[in-house]
């Protein structure tokens, strides 16, 4: 396993919320990653679809780890902001968030992610995200950025 | 209880994900609402802060219900998109999302929300959201908007 | 010239601000368009780069016309919102905004656009946009959406 | 004139695009500013309203200068990203963008702005923005952030 992959998987393993969502890393490369979750009734909104916040959560983590995979060793990452457009209701057996870095900078990285509902072999685009990630020297996780 | 409040509380009660987060409506008025959650270790990210997706989830629900409180009877609402800026790490015993309608239209409503970390009586602004909500006739929850 | 192209060119010709920017449609297809402007010193910001608002303007028009090219005959379009991430300073002889529809709906269309600085034959990605466009029946250009 | 005001007015005077729009600073304080423009037919879109990109331009400059007013001496600012929601058509004799800092950090500042159409003494909210501004040491205006 390459260094970028092992550090991403180690950090991902410490995201308790990803464990709560039963999220898994499906595939990973330098500057890109796919995260998957199964449908879970306890993550739905009033109409029985998966809550937009849950889909946004896996897209946010995917953007963060796409950026983190390119960050210099010892650096940490932090989401600055993101915008998500919801394109279709989150109905399906599984959901995937695919993120990739659009521009990698010393301090700021911009990532795009798409989310899909997956049933058997069919995929449907349900959301898209554009976000900004900040790279921080590791010992400094202070909020004063 | 006024009609806008009872319909919001009824719909909120059907959001399984809000129940999962142990979210509660703290106060509610026409076009505004506050939703609160307690800290929960199982909703954290790699540094032990609450995951940005969880904070975004209660802000999104708050924006949706602020819009829903003003929607004509029998109508449904759907989040079209939102943008969230993360201002400080989500560290605290409790978290609150306060949303209010900025502009209410026949089809689209624009809402703003702020999120706070709350410890004892101190509040700290940790995130801010700007989002668009669509109002739909109730029987038509189709994705073809 | 196909109907979608002639209606887009006719509407574009009525955007006085695009004329002011000396903007031109470079190429156009169903659901996609490229708009170009030359560098103009009178459109710069304090460091001599083209103002982010100018680059956003051609991206916004490009998103709108990408959506409009797919809209039913007689319908009008209106930008609901957009988010733009600025990836590099707008330095160059010419600038291009390339937009395409990500999801086309009856009422709302989501478009993505990239902007490039162009010098001779080299292109550099300088900005990216994600926006929402509303389709309206033509006679109703009222703000009450 | 206080130092924050003189540095903002000096930089604003170098934004050629603001001069092109005949923009003026209406009032200014630490962390907040109002910029005004008159209606100009050459800045309109296809329906005769002022182009969303023009309104976004004065909101972007207002956010940037609100952040710049709080930046340490010798530092420069750069817009990282913004999201704008368009609430009503830009119809009026004059337009104002009012920005204020929501959170000021060492590297990143988050600003909110509202835009108004002004006719005689009546004001109408037409757009709202949420944006991120980066503070840079002055000699380094390089794009490698």
């Amino acid at each position: 396993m390459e260094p970028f992959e092992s550090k991403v998987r180690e950090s991902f393993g410490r995201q308790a919320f990803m464990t709560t969502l039963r999220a898994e890393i499906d595939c990973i490369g330098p500057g890109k990653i796919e995260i998957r979750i199964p449908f879970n009734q306890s993550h739905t909104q009033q109409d029985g679809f998966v809550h937009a916040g849950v889909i946004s959560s896996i897209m946010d983590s995917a953007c963060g780890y796409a950026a983190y995979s390119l960050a210099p060793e010892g650096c940490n990452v932090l989401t600055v902001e993101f915008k998500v457009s919801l394109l279709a209701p989150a109905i399906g057996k599984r959901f995937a968030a695919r993120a990739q870095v659009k521009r990698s900078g010393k301090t700021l990285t911009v990532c795009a992610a798409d989310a899909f509902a997956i049933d058997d072999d069919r995929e449907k685009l349900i959301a898209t995200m554009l976000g900004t990630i900040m790279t921080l020297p590791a010992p400094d996780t202070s909020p004063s950025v």
Side-chain angles (χ1 to χ4, degrees), chain A:
Chain A
M1 199 184 290
E2 295 202 54
F4 78 84
E5 181 169 354
S6 46
K7 77 173 185 178
V8 166
R9 290 190 180 274
E10 185 276 328
S11 175
F12 185 82
R14 286 187 288 117
Q15 284 211 337
F17 187 49
M18 288 299 113
T19 307
T20 299
L21 297 179
R22 293 209 279 142
E24 289 180 0
I25 294 174
D26 193 67
C27 61
I28 180 171
K32 53 197 222 177
I33 192 170
E34 177 171 331
I35 293 175
R36 293 200 174 199
I37 54 169
F39 174 83
N40 185 329
Q41 200 278 328
S42 62
H43 301 149
T44 55
Q45 38 82 289
Q46 73 279 3
D47 296 313
F49 312 145
V50 174
H51 196 284
V54 171
I55 300 300
S56 299
S57 296
I58 58 167
M59 297 175 90
D60 172 37
S61 281
C63 285
Y65 286 119
Y68 187 53
S69 72
L70 299 184
E73 205 190 304
C75 287
N76 210 340
V77 295
L78 203 64
T79 303
V80 171
E81 60 83 37
F82 61 78
K83 181 254 204 286
V84 60
S85 290
L86 304 161
L87 309 178
I91 304 171
K93 291 180 188 161
R94 298 192 311 282
F95 302 92
R98 275 172 214 146
Q100 70 178 90
V101 170
K102 280 210 79 142
R103 177 195 169 277
S104 178
K106 202 170 49 148
T107 309
L108 298 178
T109 296
V110 174
C111 296
D114 285 326
F116 300 86
I118 305 174
D119 262 312
D120 305 318
D121 290 338
R122 285 172 300 111
E123 289 193 346
K124 182 175 181 176
L125 180 66
I126 58 170
T128 189
M129 180 179 279
L130 191 57
T132 310
I133 314 294
M134 189 172 200
T135 303
L136 294 170
D140 177 21
T141 56
S142 79
S144 64
V145 287

